[in-house]
Amino acid sequence: MTPKGSNRRSSDGASDSSSVPRGASKKPRYSRFTQQELPACKPILTPFWVIATFSVIGAIFIPIGLASLFASQRVVEIVDRYDDNCIPKEFIGDGRGFIQNREANKTCTRSLTVPKHMKSPIYIYYQLDNFYQNHRRYVKSRSDKQLRSKAGEKDTGSCVPEGTTSDGSPIVPCGLIAWSLFNDTYKFSLNSKVLDVNKKNIAWKSDKDHKFGKDVYPKNFQRDGLIGGSKLNASIPLSEQEDLIVWMRTAALPTFRKLYGKIEVDLEANSKLSVVIQNNYNTYIFNGKKKLVLSTTSWIGGKNDFLGIAYLTVGGLCLFLSISFIILYIVRPRPLGDPSYLSWNINPAGHVN
């Protein structure tokens, strides 16, 4: 006798067929879809197709890489780091004290030499290093509802600690991103003639039209407590304050550039450009760097050799593999098998189609 509750098994270890109820099979109904028998494209990678594919990719990528690299090389760029030079001798080693000292002179004059002819428009950027705008708490410290509409003025729950003033009044715009708005300024002159800096249309049009309301005005901004950065004109709506809009689009990496404005005159080679800088922004507290960047553009944007090098690398590798396969095919050729014996060319009965 077998113990109660146990299943009887046959001598080969299989369950007694009488214990399995009829019709309980889990075998799915047959269909060409479930059995993967639908018509499909199953190319055979012959030497000809492999060599041709690598050759075509190389022939396409290498010219694109060369064109991208040449376009990047034609971009004229001036980069000047000024945070370490625009600090008085008595404050060297105490940058934080220099920025927080209201009596200290923050004005700094820099002289830049134009290496090549720069055709207008010449874009002005400020570059910050070691500034983590992508920090989770920093990125979340804003109120998109408040920025879009006056009706959301009191929506400051996500803006702590820069959501309200000491008396509970809402700050517009609230949050750490707006509070830390970049506030260094630049004035340019060439041969004692002041160059106008155009600050219109430096922000994305979609941001101005959809993310910042025309009826939203700054309120209680940079008034209480510690001042973080630049102040805003309370008589201008947020949709027209493009410096703020550019800053509020946070960067993904700790080193980033943001557009400051445009110079709309050509600069000749070897000309001397004088820049008067107001060194107000505190990057010394986190060992950051500040750089002023002047750049022209090409059809691929600013100066960036990576795209061209990447295309050349991939194209060169494909061309190398193509030549290697050609040599291998000539030196040690292998006859192809009969494709009619491949599994998808044999019917279920085992006969060749």
Side-chain angles (χ1 to χ4, degrees):
M1 295 181 64
T2 59
K4 185 178 180 180
S6 63
N7 294 328
R8 288 185 302 171
R9 297 183 177 274
S10 59
S11 59
D12 60 355
S15 299
D16 192 346
S17 60
S18 61
S19 63
V20 179
R22 298 183 63 183
S25 174
K26 295 183 179 180
K27 180 180 179 180
R29 293 180 59 186
Y30 172 81
S31 71
R32 298 187 67 186
F33 176 76
T34 59
Q35 297 304 313
Q36 301 183 16
E37 294 178 358
L38 293 175
C41 178
K42 300 175 181 178
I44 301 173
L45 297 179
T46 62
F48 171 78
W49 281 110
V50 172
I51 293 170
T53 301
F54 278 123
S55 300
V56 169
I57 294 175
I60 294 175
F61 275 41
I62 289 177
I64 294 176
L66 290 173
S68 302
L69 199 58
F70 289 152
S72 177
Q73 293 296 325
R74 285 196 296 267
V75 173
V76 183
E77 187 176 89
I78 303 174
V79 180
D80 179 55
R81 179 184 175 185
Y82 63 88
D83 61 283
D84 53 349
N85 294 315
C86 288
I87 185 170
K89 292 182 180 179
E90 60 269 23
F91 286 102
I92 292 178
D94 186 20
R96 180 178 182 180
F98 166 67
I99 294 296
Q100 294 179 348
N101 189 331
R102 296 186 179 182
E103 303 299 326
N105 184 13
K106 306 296 195 305
T107 303
C108 174
T109 302
R110 304 283 292 169
S111 180
L112 306 178
T113 302
V114 180
K116 298 179 182 178
H117 176 77
M118 300 182 74
K119 188 177 181 180
S120 64
I122 300 166
Y123 294 91
I124 307 167
Y125 302 90
Y126 55 88
Q127 178 176 317
L128 299 180
D129 293 4
N130 202 36
F131 191 116
Y132 288 82
Q133 271 199 320
N134 60 348
H135 191 281
R136 179 179 61 85
R137 292 185 64 186
Y138 184 86
V139 170
K140 293 175 65 176
S141 185
R142 61 185 291 166
S143 173
D144 290 322
K145 184 177 179 180
Q146 184 197 67
L147 296 172
R148 281 195 302 266
S149 172
K150 186 177 181 180
E153 180 178 293
K154 296 183 179 180
D155 183 53
T156 60
S158 60
C159 296
V160 177
E162 293 297 324
T164 59
T165 60
S166 56
D167 60 358
S169 300
I171 298 174
V172 182
C174 68
L176 290 174
I177 304 178
W179 175 80
S180 60
L181 175 61
F182 187 79
N183 61 344
D184 282 8
T185 61
Y186 312 109
K187 293 182 180 179
F188 299 85
S189 60
L190 181 65
N191 299 326
S192 301
K193 181 181 178 181
V194 176
L195 298 178
D196 293 329
V197 176
N198 183 5
K199 305 194 72 162
K200 295 291 185 182
N201 299 320
I202 61 173
W204 289 20
K205 188 176 184 301
S206 59
D207 287 354
K208 292 191 294 182
D209 293 345
H210 305 294
K211 292 187 176 182
F212 293 83
K214 296 180 180 179
D215 61 342
V216 182
Y217 291 82
K219 184 178 180 181
N220 301 318
F221 187 70
Q222 304 283 25
R223 288 188 179 180
D224 281 357
L226 185 65
I227 303 301
S230 181
K231 296 185 178 182
L232 298 175
N233 191 333
S235 63
I236 300 177
L238 297 186
S239 61
E240 297 179 16
Q241 307 224 25
E242 298 196 39
D243 283 330
L244 173 69
I245 298 174
V246 170
W247 180 258
M248 294 290 286
R249 181 168 282 276
T250 53
L253 300 175
T255 297
F256 58 87
R257 294 178 180 179
K258 291 186 181 289
L259 187 59
Y260 180 84
K262 295 176 286 186
I263 297 175
E264 297 183 329
V265 295
D266 292 357
L267 298 179
E268 300 299 329
N270 299 318
S271 58
K272 298 292 184 179
L273 196 63
S274 179
V275 187
V276 178
I277 302 173
Q278 288 295 324
N279 185 20
N280 299 316
Y281 202 69
N282 190 0
T283 57
Y284 305 98
I285 194 173
F286 54 86
N287 296 321
K289 300 176 184 177
K290 293 188 289 187
K291 297 177 183 178
L292 172 63
V293 180
L294 277 70
S295 177
T296 59
T297 58
S298 66
W299 60 272
I300 60 169
K303 190 175 185 65
N304 187 356
D305 294 340
F306 174 78
L307 186 63
I309 293 173
Y311 270 105
L312 286 175
T313 301
V314 175
L317 182 61
C318 289
L319 206 58
F320 171 77
L321 291 174
S322 175
I323 295 173
S324 300
F325 286 144
I326 291 174
I327 295 174
L328 185 63
Y329 185 69
I330 293 174
V331 174
R332 298 185 62 181
R334 287 182 59 187
L336 289 176
D338 189 352
S340 62
Y341 286 97
L342 293 171
S343 60
W344 54 83
N345 290 328
I346 301 178
N347 58 33
H351 301 292
V352 176
N353 292 328

